[in-house]
Amino acid sequence: MKKFLRVNMKDLKVTESSVPDKYSKTGGRGLTSQMVLDEVPPKCHPLGPNNKLIFAPGIVTGTSAPSSGRISVGGKSPLTGGIKESNAGTPFPQSMARLGYKALIVEGQPEDTDKRWVLKINKDGAELIQSDDLKGKGMYETIKILKERFGNVDICGVGPAGEEKMAMAGICFNDPEYRASRYSGRGGLGAVMGSKCLKAIVVEKVTSPIEPQDTDLFKKGQRKLVEGLRSHDVTKPGGTLNSYGTAALINVLNQAGGLPTRNFSEGVFEEAEKISGETIAETIKQRGGSGQTGHSCHPGCIIQCSNIWAKPDGSEHVSCIEYESDWSLGANLGIDNIDEIAEMIRICNDLGLDTIEAGVMLGVAMEAGLAKFGDGKAAIELLQEIGKNTPLGRILGNGASFTGKAFGVTRVPTVKGQGMPAYEPRAVKGIGTTYITTPMGADHTAGYTIAPEILSVGGKFDPLSPEGKAELSRNFQATTAFLDSTGYCLFTSFAILDIPSALEGMVETVNAVLGTDLSTEGAVEMGKEILKVERKFNELAGFTKYDDRPPEFMRYEKLPPHNNVFDVPDEKLDEVWDF
Amino acid sequence: MGFLIKYKIEGLLYELRAAHFLREVKKMIKVKVKLFATLRKYHPYPEKNKSFEVELPEGATLNELYKEIGINRKEIKFTFVNNRSCSDDYVLQDGDDIGIFPPIAGG
């Protein structure tokens, strides 16, 4: 990977340049976050001409490294007002990396906001193609049209929510079979892309892997990592992720009393079994037809945790029902019907919405009385309002925090304006510490302490105790920042946390690609530097330590069944940043 | 030497052996068990997603419960009792709600 591609949407020009030394030894999140700090004025309006959108495949993405087809997208978030990196698993960055692009930077804004543009990238270079016919089209149709128009390409784009600059709009990527299903969902980056009138990007599909600088070291590391992934009970073929998908966590968190239910008012959902990973896997098998478990989000994944949900008649409904969407649009709304959850995911995929933010928003909307908890049909209708772009739809489309303000709701589970994911901070205090302190706004993937707090992976911590959670969260956040830069899926961490040789192997593949001599400790240090960069941007954007605080209701409302409040003290939260 | 009396108080089963005087010999407890993911193959009944009751002598531990159900200990990663994670030597209480899991993770 040797090139940067810059797309200026103001004068509609595309330029290529070599990669400056400063950025040559990183990728993915490390690269997007550094470039956002270097190039985006922290005080700029996220939807204005000075924000930029940066796409970067991970360091090893495009090589034959396992489970590494990930792309980071960075910019200033319209949802949080801070820095954002949101990553997705898809074939798209594999092709992008194989064409030699280390980053794509989209900047500026066209004067004529009625037009729509598609960026076409192939081995001869890149060009912008006016494509006004795609205006307002859903992502399913957009991908279908672009596939017909451009042939063998990978695709990313925004749906109507992104074009309408709504703060919960994500950026959609195709899966291997061209479904509109893989999302850089969080933080509203779809609205940034929409604000630049860039409807989609098509990249010529390239399937032959990149040869790393040091082939021998790469093969050595790759072997160790593959062995680790193939032997760990969670990540191996036929393991729990592969057999049940991520939604196997529904029953786990429910048993732990930490499954946020009915807008974070309880920690146990009495109907959890009906929406569990076990039920999903069984129903997919029973219905037959197009349904599938063990689906892969990109070629070369060993874990294969995605799925395809079929309707009762066996025809395809949606991909995929993963834990977060299943929870946000299920337990969080008191909804126990998977077909209704599937329909909401389909709507989100089509309109271009983050399923987590959509579910958290709907929980707040139900709290406000716009629909009753448990009423799937009413929830579906509310989501459809977003697609109709009605005044109500525009309120909802701007996320949970905005909706809470509009309707005077005080139980609004957000940090820095971003909706909390599927783990209750009052029942699992390390993940709460991550939600609160990460520069991203409430984000479980930023430091997944659930592993030792709930899953007995990588050690064991008492989830209810506030003790030691700052250090735990800090360590996970640093490791994750590194991992998000490599291009490896976060789920490889389950194997590398338990199997030291797998971790070594992972770092060796990174060294083999970059020509570096990074140790495993050095990898964590690299992660810490990335966190500092992100924190710096947020400080310049106006954030202080007082923004690293939980929503107030979690300090005084006791959550059943443990009847705990969030009791990690403010000064301990601040200690996350003592490094 | 004496005769056996079985009786229930508040749902607890007592076995008493009457000799020269009545003496409590063994008190039984009942716990509710749920098995998850791959462990459902150990479920004794067809409806594998439902919980089932197990009766054990008072003082029995989780480890003894595993043996009673016949689960291979190596397949168990973590167990929740009344929403708290518990180790093998946890002493079961009457009415405990137990969820037993194989290795699971996700996001």
Side-chain angles (χ1 to χ4, degrees):
Chain A
M1 287 195 280
K2 297 178 189 71
K3 293 181 285 189
F4 275 178
L5 178 63
R6 257 177 216 277
V7 180
N8 188 317
M9 295 303 299
K10 184 169 188 290
D11 52 20
L12 303 169
K13 280 198 178 138
V14 172
T15 49
E16 277 187 8
S17 63
S18 57
V19 176
D21 283 349
K22 179 180 183 182
Y23 302 119
S24 64
K25 302 297 181 194
T26 186
R29 175 175 167 185
L31 182 55
T32 62
S33 288
Q34 186 66 54
M35 291 191 80
V36 169
L37 178 66
D38 293 346
E39 299 197 10
V40 176
K43 285 292 203 183
C44 76
H45 195 296
L47 302 175
N50 292 318
N51 198 6
K52 298 189 183 189
L53 199 57
I54 296 152
F55 296 76
I59 293 165
V60 303
T61 305
T63 69
S64 56
S67 304
S68 64
R70 294 199 75 88
I71 188 161
S72 288
V73 189
K76 178 171 173 172
S77 164
L79 189 72
T80 69
I83 195 164
K84 176 56 60 181
E85 182 268 354
S86 180
N87 59 68
T90 154
F92 186 94
Q94 294 176 313
S95 293
M96 191 178 153
R98 287 164 188 165
L99 283 173
Y101 294 106
K102 197 171 174 70
L104 158 65
I105 304 111
V106 184
E107 52 198 21
Q109 236 166 21
E111 275 165 32
D112 183 350
T113 55
D114 283 335
K115 290 182 178 144
R116 294 292 177 270
W117 299 90
V118 170
L119 176 68
K120 178 184 152 197
I121 306 171
N122 61 23
K123 59 181 183 306
D124 301 321
E127 61 176 315
L128 282 164
I129 299 167
Q130 196 175 332
S131 310
D132 299 346
D133 62 316
L134 296 176
K135 190 175 176 181
K137 290 214 186 306
M139 277 315 300
Y140 289 108
E141 195 183 354
T142 299
I143 284 188
K144 188 168 172 278
I145 292 170
L146 291 173
K147 180 80 179 69
E148 281 165 9
R149 197 167 290 170
F150 294 99
N152 199 20
V153 289
D154 286 310
I155 300 163
C156 99
V158 293
E163 291 180 67
E164 292 297 340
K165 298 181 271 189
M166 295 186 192
M168 67 153 92
I171 295 175
C172 182
F173 298 89
N174 62 289
D175 78 354
E177 297 84 28
Y178 291 94
R179 291 182 191 85
S181 60
R182 312 305 314 178
Y183 265 83
S184 279
R186 306 238 64 195
L189 292 176
V192 180
M193 192 160 159
S195 75
K196 298 183 183 306
C197 300
L198 184 62
K199 175 71 178 174
I201 303 168
V202 295
V203 179
E204 180 183 345
K205 199 169 194 62
V206 186
T207 51
S208 49
I210 298 166
E211 282 297 314
Q213 279 191 36
D214 185 338
T215 320
D216 291 340
L217 180 64
F218 183 83
K219 280 185 181 155
K220 187 178 149 206
Q222 185 191 30
R223 202 174 305 124
K224 287 189 208 171
L225 181 56
V226 168
E227 276 169 19
L229 291 170
R230 286 188 174 281
S231 63
H232 195 278
D233 287 324
V234 166
T235 54
K236 68 185 182 186
T240 43
L241 270 173
N242 185 240
S243 303
Y244 299 97
T246 58
L249 282 176
I250 290 274
N251 277 328
V252 177
L253 269 295
N254 201 52
Q255 285 284 318
L259 186 70
T261 300
R262 287 178 279 268
N263 190 34
F264 290 75
S265 61
E266 294 160 80
V268 171
F269 181 40
E270 64 286 354
E271 302 294 352
E273 186 62 49
K274 289 187 184 164
I275 61 166
S276 67
E278 288 91 333
T279 302
I280 290 171
E282 276 165 31
T283 311
I284 285 174
K285 203 173 156 191
Q286 276 165 15
R287 288 184 178 179
S290 306
Q292 187 191 335
T293 53
H295 175 249
S296 183
C297 71
H298 67 275
C301 181
I302 288 177
I303 305 169
Q304 303 187 358
C305 66
S306 173
N307 60 24
I308 299 159
W309 179 255
K311 294 176 182 172
D313 66 3
S315 63
E316 182 171 326
H317 194 168
V318 76
S319 176
C320 70
I321 305 183
E322 51 85 40
Y323 173 60
E324 287 294 334
S325 312
D326 190 25
W327 157 79
S328 68
L329 301 161
N332 189 49
L333 309 181
I335 291 170
D336 61 8
N337 179 321
I338 305 176
D339 287 313
E340 288 175 347
I341 295 168
E343 179 56 16
M344 285 189 269
I345 296 170
R346 193 198 63 76
I347 293 170
C348 287
N349 283 353
D350 200 34
L351 296 180
L353 299 173
D354 171 18
T355 54
I356 297 179
E357 193 65 35
V360 178
M361 172 280 290
L362 286 173
V364 172
M366 285 178 166
E367 185 90 41
L370 296 184
K372 287 199 171 77
F373 284 110
D375 189 343
K377 287 185 179 58
I380 288 168
E381 282 168 16
L382 284 176
L383 276 184
Q384 285 165 339
E385 286 293 311
I386 298 173
K388 292 177 197 157
N389 206 25
T390 58
L392 174 61
R394 293 204 63 85
I395 291 172
L396 304 178
N398 276 295
S401 229
F402 195 91
T403 300
K405 275 181 196 161
F407 292 97
V409 177
T410 53
R411 191 190 288 128
V412 180
T414 60
V415 180
K416 300 182 179 74
Q418 181 165 289
M420 286 186 179
Y423 309 89
E424 232 306 335
R426 289 165 287 181
V428 197
K429 288 165 187 167
I431 200 72
T433 303
T434 294
Y435 288 173
I436 292 161
T437 58
T438 166
M440 297 297 152
D443 178 356
H444 61 300
T445 67
Y448 193 70
T449 65
I450 296 299
E453 290 186 286
I454 299 289
L455 308 171
S456 300
V457 171
K460 209 162 163 60
F461 275 77
D462 178 1
L464 289 175
S465 167
E467 300 299 322
K469 295 301 164 75
E471 190 186 2
L472 181 68
S473 176
R474 182 198 306 132
N475 291 340
F476 268 82
Q477 289 194 49
T479 311
T480 305
F482 167 73
L483 203 59
D484 285 343
S485 306
T486 63
Y488 283 112
C489 170
L490 187 55
F491 294 168
T492 60
S493 66
F494 301 124
I496 65 171
L497 279 167
D498 282 339
I499 305 169
S501 62
L503 173 60
E504 276 167 29
M506 172 182 282
V507 175
E508 281 165 1
T509 60
V510 170
N511 283 330
V513 170
L514 294 179
T516 49
D517 192 19
L518 206 61
S519 63
T520 52
E521 296 78 18
V524 177
E525 288 309 307
M526 184 174 158
K528 284 184 178 168
E529 291 309 308
I530 296 165
L531 293 177
K532 282 182 186 167
V533 163
E534 293 168 346
R535 174 87 161 175
K536 177 83 179 161
F537 182 89
N538 277 5
E539 280 172 5
L540 295 170
F543 285 80
T544 70
K545 66 179 184 179
Y546 300 108
D547 294 295
D548 291 348
R549 297 292 180 258
E552 190 196 13
F553 77 94
M554 290 192 173
R555 289 285 196 207
Y556 62 76
E557 256 186 35
K558 289 181 181 174
L559 182 86
H562 296 298
N563 295 317
N564 264 229
V565 294
F566 186 78
D567 57 358
V568 178
D570 289 351
E571 53 275 18
K572 289 289 172 191
L573 293 172
D574 296 339
E575 278 179 18
V576 170
W577 289 97
D578 286 349
F579 63 88
Chain B
M1 273 74 68
F3 52 94
L4 192 70
I5 302 171
K6 286 189 178 183
Y7 68 100
K8 270 186 173 179
I9 297 175
E10 291 174 357
L12 296 187
L13 183 70
Y14 291 86
E15 285 183 8
L16 293 181
R17 204 167 284 278
H20 298 293
F21 53 91
L22 285 176
R23 182 166 62 91
E24 182 181 319
V25 175
K26 197 166 59 172
K27 184 179 167 188
M28 301 295 281
I29 58 163
K30 278 182 186 170
V31 295
K32 244 168 59 177
V33 180
K34 252 192 128 176
L35 303 176
F36 294 97
T38 48
L39 298 183
R40 290 203 167 157
K41 66 186 176 205
Y42 294 108
H43 199 297
Y45 306 110
E47 283 194 284
K48 308 221 174 280
N49 58 358
K50 299 256 163 69
S51 58
F52 58 96
E53 255 185 10
V54 179
E55 197 173 88
L56 293 155
E58 188 178 46
T61 61
L62 267 182
N63 208 20
E64 286 159 85
L65 173 69
Y66 300 152
K67 282 181 191 150
E68 179 70 24
I69 304 169
I71 305 184
N72 179 356
R73 178 65 188 85
K74 284 184 190 153
E75 293 180 41
I76 299 171
K77 185 71 174 181
F78 48 85
T79 296
F80 292 99
V81 181
N82 305 329
N83 309 116
R84 295 300 312 261
S85 179
C86 288
S87 54
D88 287 11
D89 56 2
Y90 169 81
V91 177
L92 296 163
Q93 306 295 313
D94 190 63
D96 274 350
D97 230 317
I98 296 155
I100 309 174
F101 289 89
I104 286 183

